[in-house]
């Protein structure tokens, strides 16, 4: 611990006894509050209106009245903030914990690691840094928002790492199979190298879980197939060339089926006297027929019934 911090903590130890004599819980003063000797207390709406009218100059002026002297952690784990309040005469030397107040000065939130404390008085909120003075205002709401954003970012990063390819084989297979089956993939670079170079993991410590989407399952199946092909004597390069050719053939099949379905659907929808309800049914059936062939529908089909799902599954399972 540096000498300045030691001195600050020593100052806090000296200030605490002085402050404790004047710090009481709200219940202790409740009978005075109820008597309202100085008139009615400001309502939450009034305080909100006051805060809405606060200007940067007012924030700076109020913050100059408070000197943040020391911060430490008490044996019960709370952060204690030692300060000098020059907003009263004579200046008051006090210690506050989060949620406590003195002379109308309330400590909203404090953080010993980041060495800041946020105060509020007369509807003016400001944040002081230990030894730094006025900082960007940090409120409990802002901290909660930042914590939520950090949690979301961490989850997104974990998901990105989970989805990222962990071998050259996985990377190349994904380039072919991560696109919809009716969309042509870009030319696949097929590097030289043996099977070990293709299957060596980028991160040996990465935990491999079960595929969580159909695309992930398809990619995993492709990698497993590559390994099986290599084990049977085929080179990784030959397998990838075969994969590209097979996928291109599937793209052509998908497009041909979609084109034929579109022509038949257009013909059906052009019939005279077709109601809007009938048109919707005909379109839905055209798309389901495509799905039964393993083809991407012309338009998404929402809320498939159990009977429709069973119909599609039966057709797909019956396909050679």
């Amino acid at each position: 611990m540096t000498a300045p911090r030691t001195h600050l903590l020593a100052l806090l130890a000296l200030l605490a006894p002085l402050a404790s004599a004047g710090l009481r819980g709200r219940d202790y003063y409740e009978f005075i509050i109820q008597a309202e000797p100085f008139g009615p207390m400001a309502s939450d709406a009034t305080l909100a209106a006051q805060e809405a009218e606060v200007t940067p100059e007012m924030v700076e002026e109020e913050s100059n009245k408070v000197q943040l002297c020391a911060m430490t952690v008490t044996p019960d784990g709370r952060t204690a903030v030692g300060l000098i309040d020059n907003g009263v005469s004579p200046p008051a030397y006090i210690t506050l914990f989060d949620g406590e107040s003195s002379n109308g000065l309330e400590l909203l939130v404090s953080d010993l690691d980041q060495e800041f404390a946020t105060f509020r008085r007369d509807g003016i909120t400001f944040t002081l840094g230990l030894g730094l003075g006025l900082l960007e205002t940090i409120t409990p709401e802002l901290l909660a928002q930042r914590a939520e954003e950090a949690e979301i970012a961490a989850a997104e990063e974990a998901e990105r790492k989970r989805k990222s390819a962990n071998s050259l084989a996985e990377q190349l297979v994904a380039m072919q199979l991560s696109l919809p089956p009716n969309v042509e993939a870009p030319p696949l670079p097929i590097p030289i190298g043996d099977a070990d170079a293709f299957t060596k993991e980028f991160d040996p410590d990465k935990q491999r879980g079960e595929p969580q989407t159909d695309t992930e399952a398809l990619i995993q199946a492709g990698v497993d197939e590559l390994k099986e092909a290599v084990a049977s004597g085929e080179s990784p390069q030959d397998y990838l060339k075969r994969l590209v050719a097979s996928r291109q053939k599937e793209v052509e099949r998908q497009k041909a089926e979609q084109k034929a379905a579109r022509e038949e659907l257009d013909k059906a929808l052009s019939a005279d006297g077709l109601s809007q309800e009938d048109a919707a049914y005909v379109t839905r059936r055209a798309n389901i027929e495509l799905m039964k062939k393993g083809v991407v529908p012309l338009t998404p089909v929402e809320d498939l019934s159990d009977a429709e799902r069973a119909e599609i599954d039966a057709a797909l399972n019956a396909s050679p």
Side-chain angles (χ1 to χ4, degrees), residues 17-18 29 40 47 104 145 175 195 210 251 256 268 278:
L18 295 174
Y29 300 103
L47 291 175
Q145 178 184 340
M175 291 175 66
E210 292 295 322
V251 169
D278 289 341

Side-chain angles (χ1 to χ4, degrees), residues 109-133:
V109 62
S110 60
D111 189 306
L112 179 61
D113 293 334
Q114 299 185 56
E115 297 186 334
F116 75 80
T118 298
F119 303 90
R120 179 171 59 200
R121 179 156 55 189
D122 296 333
I124 300 175
T125 304
F126 57 93
T127 299
L128 298 178
L130 187 60
L132 298 175

Side-chain angles (χ1 to χ4, degrees), residues 23-25 78-81 94-102 104-109 118-120:
L23 290 177
R24 302 281 188 174
R78 294 188 297 167
T79 298
V81 174
I94 59 178
T95 302
L96 293 177
F97 294 96
D98 288 0
E100 290 186 339
S101 60
S102 178
L105 180 68
E106 181 184 4
L107 176 61
L108 296 180
V109 62
T118 298
F119 303 90
R120 179 171 59 200

Side-chain angles (χ1 to χ4, degrees), residues 190-210:
I190 302 181
I192 60 174
D194 58 15
D196 290 338
F198 272 75
T199 57
K200 181 179 180 181
E201 294 186 339
F202 301 145
D203 180 6
D205 297 326
K206 181 178 179 179
Q207 298 295 321
R208 181 178 298 281
E210 292 295 322

Side-chain angles (χ1 to χ4, degrees), residues 120-300:
R120 179 171 59 200
R121 179 156 55 189
D122 296 333
I124 300 175
T125 304
F126 57 93
T127 299
L128 298 178
L130 187 60
L132 298 175
L134 186 62
L135 302 176
E136 172 197 7
T137 301
I138 302 174
T139 63
E141 293 78 13
L142 178 59
L143 290 178
Q145 178 184 340
R146 288 180 176 177
E148 182 179 358
E149 291 173 349
E151 185 177 346
I152 293 174
E156 290 176 346
E157 176 62 14
E159 182 67 3
R160 185 195 66 78
K161 288 183 178 180
R162 187 190 69 78
K163 290 183 176 180
S164 62
N166 201 33
S167 69
L168 182 57
E170 190 174 344
Q171 197 173 55
L172 293 170
V173 170
M175 291 175 66
Q176 284 293 300
L177 302 183
S178 60
L179 294 172
N182 62 329
V183 177
E184 292 190 24
L188 183 70
I190 302 181
I192 60 174
D194 58 15
D196 290 338
F198 272 75
T199 57
K200 181 179 180 181
E201 294 186 339
F202 301 145
D203 180 6
D205 297 326
K206 181 178 179 179
Q207 298 295 321
R208 181 178 298 281
E210 292 295 322
Q212 297 185 13
T213 66
D214 291 342
T215 299
E216 290 178 12
L218 193 62
I219 293 172
Q220 183 58 54
V223 173
D224 292 342
E225 189 177 78
L226 182 149
K227 292 178 180 179
E228 293 173 2
V230 168
S232 65
E234 188 176 14
S235 72
Q237 291 81 3
D238 287 342
Y239 170 80
L240 290 172
K241 291 176 182 177
R242 186 158 55 84
L243 176 65
V244 170
S246 175
R247 191 183 186 287
Q248 182 59 34
K249 184 177 180 180
E250 174 61 17
V251 169
E252 293 170 357
R253 182 185 81 87
Q254 292 266 337
K255 289 184 176 182
E257 292 284 0
Q258 286 182 322
K259 180 181 179 182
R262 169 57 67 189
E263 292 173 351
E264 289 295 324
L265 180 59
D266 289 344
K267 186 186 300 183
L269 294 177
S270 64
D272 294 334
L274 192 67
S275 68
Q276 186 174 358
E277 182 178 351
D278 289 341
Y281 174 78
V282 170
T283 301
R284 185 180 185 86
R285 287 307 310 176
N287 283 314
I288 289 176
E289 289 302 319
L290 284 175
M291 296 170 72
K292 288 168 63 176
K293 299 176 182 179
V295 177
V296 176
L298 301 174
T299 55

